[in-house]
Amino acid sequence: MKNIYQPIKAEVVNITDESSNIKTFTLKPSEKFSFVTGQFIEFSLNGIGESPFTPSSSPYKTETIDVTIMRAGYVTEKIHQLKKGDIVGIRGPYGKGYPIEEMVDKEVLILGGGVGMAPLRSFLLTLVKQIDKFKKVTLCYGSKSPEDIIYKSEFEDWKKIKKLDILRSVDKCPEGVWKESVGVVTCLLDKVKVDLKNSVAIVCGPPIMMKFGTKKLLEVGFSPKNIYLSMEKNMSCGLGKCGHCQLGPYFVCKDGPVFLYDKIKDLEELWD
């Protein structure tokens, strides 16, 4: 019987510096590995530890998998020291991803901030692969500064895609450096026109951004039943056994990490 906690080996075949503290690692698993966009994996270093991350690549890309990681603690510091050819462990995928089929024939608004763009890149690439199934896709992405924007080289290609609109903002920057919006990412929602009766919104980013992003979506008229949140809650075992990621009656690793806002909106610890 296969050990559900046993990771499979994966080789680091490429590393991309996205910003001063964010890198994308392209991994080649030693065995067939697939996932649904929005699911997460456990990324491990032998003798160091493991951490959960949502793949940032398209699930249609099957030979390799991208994982975009911000340096924010002991394990991620060690991950950032990896070099091409190093061997790591991955296990999963875990949780429930985005219900793409429920979004067909609708307008999809994506709201992301900072490294929250990582799972949204996977989601966006999934939509782009079948873009004709959707009325329109709008990506609103914010970062602290122009230097903190991740996937910089890909935005120019994304802007050429039919039925995809992209708006970006930075919190601050010197005058004359940035030609797009300045302000927190929610300011972009004032510029977006959507058919609220036929739209869904996807939110991912730091908790404070998700809190106020969701509040803003409600203010502009989105129903709680049409807002999907990608939650982060210290997922560990990935199987709903250890209890580290409990959110009210749910385990984020097993019941999420993608939740309808309507399902969790009344939980006191939602934004903790």
Side-chain angles (χ1 to χ4, degrees), residues 171-184:
D171 293 354
K172 58 182 179 180
C173 70
E175 188 172 346
V177 173
W178 178 249
K179 296 180 180 179
E180 299 175 52
S181 298
V182 177
V184 293

Side-chain angles (χ1 to χ4, degrees), residues 18 24-29 33-39 41 53-69 90 98 117-127 129 151 154 158:
E18 303 288 359
T24 294
F25 298 86
T26 300
L27 310 177
K28 186 173 185 178
F33 191 91
S34 61
F35 65 95
V36 173
T37 185
Q39 288 186 302
I41 65 168
F53 302 100
T54 301
S56 54
S57 52
S58 168
Y60 292 103
K61 182 181 171 185
T62 56
E63 293 295 317
T64 60
I65 177 173
D66 291 347
V67 188
T68 302
I69 298 173
I90 58 173
Y98 294 104
M117 187 59 212
L120 294 180
R121 177 190 184 226
S122 175
F123 177 70
L124 177 65
L125 293 174
T126 302
L127 298 190
K129 181 73 174 178
Y151 313 126
E154 298 180 45
W158 291 346

Side-chain angles (χ1 to χ4, degrees), residues 38-257:
Q39 288 186 302
F40 73 96
I41 65 168
E42 291 284 352
F43 186 125
S44 62
L45 296 181
N46 192 23
I48 301 296
E50 67 175 8
S51 291
F53 302 100
T54 301
S56 54
S57 52
S58 168
Y60 292 103
K61 182 181 171 185
T62 56
E63 293 295 317
T64 60
I65 177 173
D66 291 347
V67 188
T68 302
I69 298 173
M70 181 169 68
R71 189 175 66 247
Y74 178 70
V75 174
T76 55
E77 177 69 39
K78 294 297 183 182
I79 291 175
H80 268 237
Q81 294 173 12
L82 289 170
K83 296 179 175 58
K84 287 184 183 180
D86 285 343
I87 302 297
V88 303
I90 58 173
R91 62 182 179 93
Y94 297 115
K96 298 174 182 175
Y98 294 104
I100 300 294
E101 290 305 314
E102 295 180 13
M103 304 175 190
V104 170
D105 290 330
K106 295 183 178 180
E107 296 183 14
V108 182
L109 172 62
I110 305 169
L111 181 65
V115 76
M117 187 59 212
L120 294 180
R121 177 190 184 226
S122 175
F123 177 70
L124 177 65
L125 293 174
T126 302
L127 298 190
V128 166
K129 181 73 174 178
Q130 46 193 324
I131 193 73
D132 288 337
K133 290 185 177 180
F134 309 96
K135 292 290 185 183
K136 184 174 70 174
V137 178
T138 302
L139 169 63
C140 296
Y141 171 58
S143 63
K144 290 182 179 178
S145 71
E147 293 76 23
D148 292 308
I149 291 174
I150 60 177
Y151 313 126
K152 295 181 182 67
S153 63
E154 298 180 45
F155 272 97
E156 290 307 311
D157 289 334
W158 291 346
K159 288 178 180 177
K160 299 173 185 175
I161 297 173
K162 290 171 59 178
K163 300 173 74 173
L164 171 61
D165 293 331
I166 296 177
L167 294 86
R168 299 188 299 179
S169 70
V170 296
D171 293 354
K172 58 182 179 180
C173 70
E175 188 172 346
V177 173
W178 178 249
K179 296 180 180 179
E180 299 175 52
S181 298
V182 177
V184 293
V185 66
T186 50
C187 74
L188 298 175
L189 296 178
D190 293 325
K191 303 179 179 181
V192 174
K193 293 183 178 179
V194 296
D195 177 5
L196 289 169
K197 295 180 180 178
N198 192 37
S199 298
V200 296
I202 315 298
V203 187
C204 186
I208 190 70
M209 172 259 152
M210 292 183 66
K211 177 180 180 179
F212 287 98
T214 302
K215 182 180 179 182
K216 182 72 175 183
L217 288 169
L218 295 170
E219 288 176 359
V220 301
F222 273 87
S223 164
K225 296 180 179 179
N226 291 327
I227 300 173
Y228 293 90
L229 306 180
S230 184
M231 302 299 294
E232 288 280 351
K233 284 288 180 181
N234 193 28
M235 289 94 80
S236 184
C237 70
L239 300 163
K241 302 293 185 184
C242 70
H244 288 172
C245 64
Q246 187 159 8
L247 177 65
Y250 307 112
F251 294 105
V252 174
C253 71
K254 182 170 66 73
D255 302 310

